[in-house]
């Protein structure tokens, strides 16, 4: 055995032990280092905005005569139903244009064709026969940037003989401005809460450490049901309908570093607020 081997082995182990000890001391020093104190605030806010846009939805339809099976439907009757529907659709569009609705604001949907079951007469045994017919239907929507026209459009649709009114969706022409306002108010509320807490605790706010949207601004167009069959609508007016307001919510999390006499040596977050 080489006489130098035990000496080299002891030297190697000594160097390795010193390195491990230094690593342990460094890790312990990092673990013992206190986390800078901070203040975390969660804030919610919202805005309520009056809608300045409305979309009114309606439908027109025509039916073929009811028969025992659809195969019994005469092709001429189907053509006649379609012609009647197209004529009524043209009259509705003209009625909208006559009251000043621009053509681009009128959306005439595609023709829908589907079978329907209807109750037929009773036979000698008292059983009711089920008949079939074909419904041809076209949806319409009118987009208004002047909600004041809603009543006039409603009345014109009734006069044009729409079969059903499905409802009104109230919306905003500029959603971004409203969502920005909600987010700004949430941030302002977070700052106000942080200032209040720091003042109460005798510390001063430092730099912002973190900002995040806990909840992106939520925007939900407001729906108003107006479903009514043409036979029951009579001479009512939409002037009695009120759009109300649309609420937009926003939520943020903001974290500040804090400094001051009361914050010295105080590890971690000294305060946390949530609303």
């Amino acid at each position: 055995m080489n006489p130098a081997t035990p000496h080299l082995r002891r030297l190697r182990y000594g160097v390795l032990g010193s390195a491990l000890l230094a690593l342990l001391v460094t890790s312990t020093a990092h673990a013992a280092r206190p986390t800078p104190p901070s203040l975390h605030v969660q804030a919610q806010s919202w805005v309520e905005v009056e809608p300045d846009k409305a979309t009114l939805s309606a439908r027109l339809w025509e039916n073929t005569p009811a028969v025992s099976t659809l195969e019994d439907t005469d092709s001429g009757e189907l053509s006649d139903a379609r012609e009647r529907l197209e004529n009524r659709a043209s009259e509705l569009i003209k009625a909208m244009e006559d009251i000043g609705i621009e053509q681009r604001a009128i959306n005439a949907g595609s023709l829908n064709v589907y079978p329907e079951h209807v109750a037929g007469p009773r036979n000698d045994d008292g059983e009711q026969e089920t008949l079939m017919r074909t419904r041809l239907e076209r949806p319409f929507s009118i987009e208004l940037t002047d909600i004041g026209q809603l009543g006039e459009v409603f009345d014109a649709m009734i006069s044009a003989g729409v079969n059903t009114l499905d409802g009104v969706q109230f919306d905003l022409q500029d959603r971004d401005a409203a969502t920005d306002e909600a987010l700004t108010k949430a941030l302002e509320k977070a700052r106000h809460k942080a200032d209040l807490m720091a003042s109460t605790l005798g510390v001063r706010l430092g730099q912002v450490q973190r900002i995040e949207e806990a909840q992106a601004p939520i925007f939900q167009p407001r729906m108003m049901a107006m479903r009514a069959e043409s036979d029951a609508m009579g001479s009512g007016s939409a002037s009695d309908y009120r759009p109300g307001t649309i609420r937009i919510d926003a939520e943020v999390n903001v974290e500040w570093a804090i400094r001051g006499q009361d914050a010295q040596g105080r590890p971690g977050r000294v305060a946390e607020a949530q609303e």
Side-chain angles (χ1 to χ4, degrees):
M1 178 182 294
N2 189 340
T5 300
H7 175 72
L8 291 174
R9 186 177 299 159
R10 287 195 299 271
L11 180 60
R12 185 182 303 119
Y13 289 160
V15 172
L16 181 59
S18 298
L20 290 174
L21 180 60
L23 180 61
L24 179 61
V25 170
T26 302
S27 301
T28 303
H30 281 296
R33 183 178 300 170
T35 303
S38 62
L39 184 149
H40 174 262
V41 172
Q42 184 178 54
Q44 290 179 318
S45 192
W46 64 86
V47 294
E48 290 187 343
V49 186
E50 291 187 2
D52 58 5
K53 177 181 175 181
T55 302
L56 181 61
S57 301
R59 284 178 290 157
L60 294 173
W61 65 66
E62 288 287 340
N63 299 318
T64 61
V67 292
S68 297
T69 64
L70 289 181
E71 286 76 12
D72 296 333
T73 301
D74 184 88
S75 59
E77 293 174 339
L78 193 61
S79 297
D80 289 344
R82 179 170 183 176
E83 183 177 356
R84 293 195 304 271
L85 180 62
E86 295 303 327
N87 289 336
R88 292 176 61 201
S90 297
E91 292 173 1
L92 176 60
I93 292 174
K94 184 178 184 304
M96 294 297 103
E97 293 176 340
D98 288 345
I99 61 175
I101 304 300
E102 296 183 7
Q103 188 173 8
R104 61 183 177 84
I106 305 170
N107 180 23
S110 302
L111 176 68
N112 297 314
V113 180
Y114 52 89
E116 276 191 334
H117 294 83
V118 294
R122 295 185 180 277
N123 57 27
D124 295 338
D125 297 329
E127 297 178 349
Q128 193 169 35
E129 183 182 3
T130 299
L131 302 178
M132 297 288 294
R133 67 184 180 189
T134 300
R135 169 168 289 191
L136 294 86
E137 180 180 291
R138 288 194 69 180
F140 281 82
S141 64
I142 312 298
E143 186 175 294
L144 303 176
T145 54
D146 179 5
I147 294 183
Q149 292 181 294
L150 183 60
E152 191 175 12
V153 171
F154 183 82
D155 292 338
M157 281 188 162
I158 294 175
S159 299
V162 296
N163 293 95
T164 191
L165 288 167
D166 292 325
V168 180
Q169 176 177 282
F170 293 105
D171 207 332
L172 299 174
Q173 297 183 52
D174 188 356
R175 292 188 181 185
D176 289 342
T179 54
D180 287 352
E181 183 181 354
L183 185 58
T184 298
K185 290 185 68 174
L187 290 167
E188 290 174 346
K189 189 171 184 178
R191 178 69 197 215
H192 171 74
K193 292 171 66 176
D195 286 337
L196 177 62
M197 294 172 66
S199 175
T200 302
L201 295 173
V203 298
R204 290 179 292 118
L205 294 179
Q207 293 184 336
V208 173
Q209 303 296 305
R210 182 171 60 92
I211 307 174
E212 66 178 14
E213 281 186 308
Q215 170 184 289
I218 297 176
F219 180 91
Q220 183 64 47
R222 187 169 185 270
M223 296 295 297
M224 177 176 288
M226 292 176 57
R227 187 174 181 83
E229 300 298 327
S230 57
D231 292 341
M233 287 190 292
S235 59
S237 172
S239 59
D240 295 334
Y241 290 88
R242 299 291 184 267
T245 59
I246 295 174
R247 173 166 165 159
I248 303 167
D249 295 271
E251 182 177 337
V252 296
N253 289 323
V254 186
E255 185 173 345
W256 282 267
I258 58 174
R259 57 179 182 268
Q261 184 175 3
D262 287 356
Q264 295 298 325
R266 189 176 299 180
R269 295 177 182 172
V270 299
E272 183 166 348
Q274 181 173 338
E275 181 177 282

